């Protein structure tokens, strides 16, 4: 039987909630600071800054996430038109920039397995239950999609890593029988809502 091939990473996509809870696909509007200087792509991990806005979370093994970025809206400073976009373009100057964020700490995400920033890797059934770090990279300004994934070489029992592997995605098992996509959740104490630290420090 031929399985579909995962050709590239696409960020983290919310698919469900832990324990069979009802998943409504809801998001929360969160502000992005005017002029914030980093692109944020659909599927990127984001964090709170000390001023209450959100930023791209560049922590690989030390992420302090508030959720996953799922698009944004703002008034274009040149045309004055209100735009909804797949990604936030770096250094956009507008007073009304809001991001759509999946901030549920019980969310489950589908994510590609990577062996480096561009190469799809694999994990096996023995990796299910382990913890992993995220591989952070820039997304595509053409599609607006993230290129983040989890790094297979970090699959360990280390409790400080941000994600727990819940299951492998059977539909995209490769020819050698390895999972090229997995389902993950935030580890307890990593997500801002479950952390004793109120917010991340602004970068």
């Amino acid at each position: 039987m031929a399985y579909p091939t995962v050709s590239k990473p696409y960020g983290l996509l919310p698919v469900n909630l832990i324990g069979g809870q009802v998943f409504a696909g809801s998001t929360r509007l969160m502000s992005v600071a005017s002029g914030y200087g980093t692109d944020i792509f659909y599927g990127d991990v984001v964090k709170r800054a000390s001023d209450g806005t959100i930023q791209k979370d560049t922590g690989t093994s030390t992420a302090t996430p508030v959720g996953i970025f799922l698009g944004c809206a703002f008034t274009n400073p040149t045309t004055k038109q209100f735009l909804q976009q797949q990604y936030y373009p770096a250094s956009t100057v507008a007073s009304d920039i809001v991001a759509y964020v999946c901030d549920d700490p019980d969310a489950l995400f589908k994510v590609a397995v990577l062996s480096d920033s561009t190469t799809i890797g694999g994990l096996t059934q023995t990796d299910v239950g382990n913890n992993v770090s995220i591989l952070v990279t820039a997304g595509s300004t053409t599609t607006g999609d993230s290129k983040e994934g989890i790094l297979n070489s970090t699959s360990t029992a280390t409790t400080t890593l941000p994600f727990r592997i819940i299951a492998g995605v059977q539909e995209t098992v490769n020819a050698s029988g390895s999972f090229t996509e997995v389902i993950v959740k935030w580890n307890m104490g990593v997500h801002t809502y479950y952390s004793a630290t109120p917010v991340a420090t602004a970068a």
Side-chain angles (χ1 to χ4, degrees), residues 10-16 42-43 68 70 108-111 183:
Y10 48 79
L12 290 102
L13 302 181
V15 294
N16 211 333
Y42 190 99
I68 303 298
L70 298 175
L108 299 180
F109 305 99
K110 185 170 71 169
V111 62
I183 304 299

Side-chain angles (χ1 to χ4, degrees), residues 27-108:
T27 57
R28 189 177 306 280
L29 290 178
M30 297 185 181
S31 295
V32 178
S34 178
Y36 173 61
T38 302
D39 292 328
I40 313 176
F41 296 92
Y42 190 99
D44 276 355
V45 178
V46 290
K47 65 179 181 180
R48 283 280 191 196
S50 58
D51 63 358
T53 63
I54 63 159
Q55 301 175 345
K56 181 181 174 78
D57 194 334
T58 57
T60 54
S61 59
T62 57
T64 54
V66 71
I68 303 298
F69 179 91
L70 298 175
C72 66
F74 58 88
T75 300
N76 183 289
T78 302
T79 65
K80 309 305 180 186
Q81 292 181 317
F82 187 71
L83 304 177
Q84 291 181 306
Q85 294 202 168
Q86 185 88 342
Y87 84 103
Y88 163 79
S91 304
T92 296
V93 176
S95 61
D96 60 349
I97 308 169
V98 291
Y100 302 96
V101 178
C102 174
D103 69 336
D104 193 325
D106 289 337
L108 299 180

Side-chain angles (χ1 to χ4, degrees), residues 125-200:
Q125 190 65 39
T126 59
D127 291 294
V128 173
N130 277 355
N131 299 325
V132 285
S133 68
I134 189 166
L135 199 158
V136 177
T137 186
S140 168
T141 57
T142 301
T143 66
D145 291 336
S146 172
K147 293 183 181 179
E148 294 183 355
I150 60 163
L151 189 58
N152 60 0
S153 62
T154 64
S155 174
T156 67
T158 302
T159 58
T160 55
L161 295 176
F163 292 106
R164 172 72 50 84
I165 301 169
I166 299 300
V169 177
Q170 296 290 342
E171 291 78 9
T172 49
V173 168
N174 64 21
S176 64
S178 297
F179 298 119
T180 58
E181 295 176 301
V182 292
I183 304 299
V184 299
K185 68 173 289 291
W186 303 115
N187 267 325
M188 186 64 70
V190 171
H191 194 285
T192 295
Y193 295 167
Y194 283 159
S195 173
T197 304
V199 295

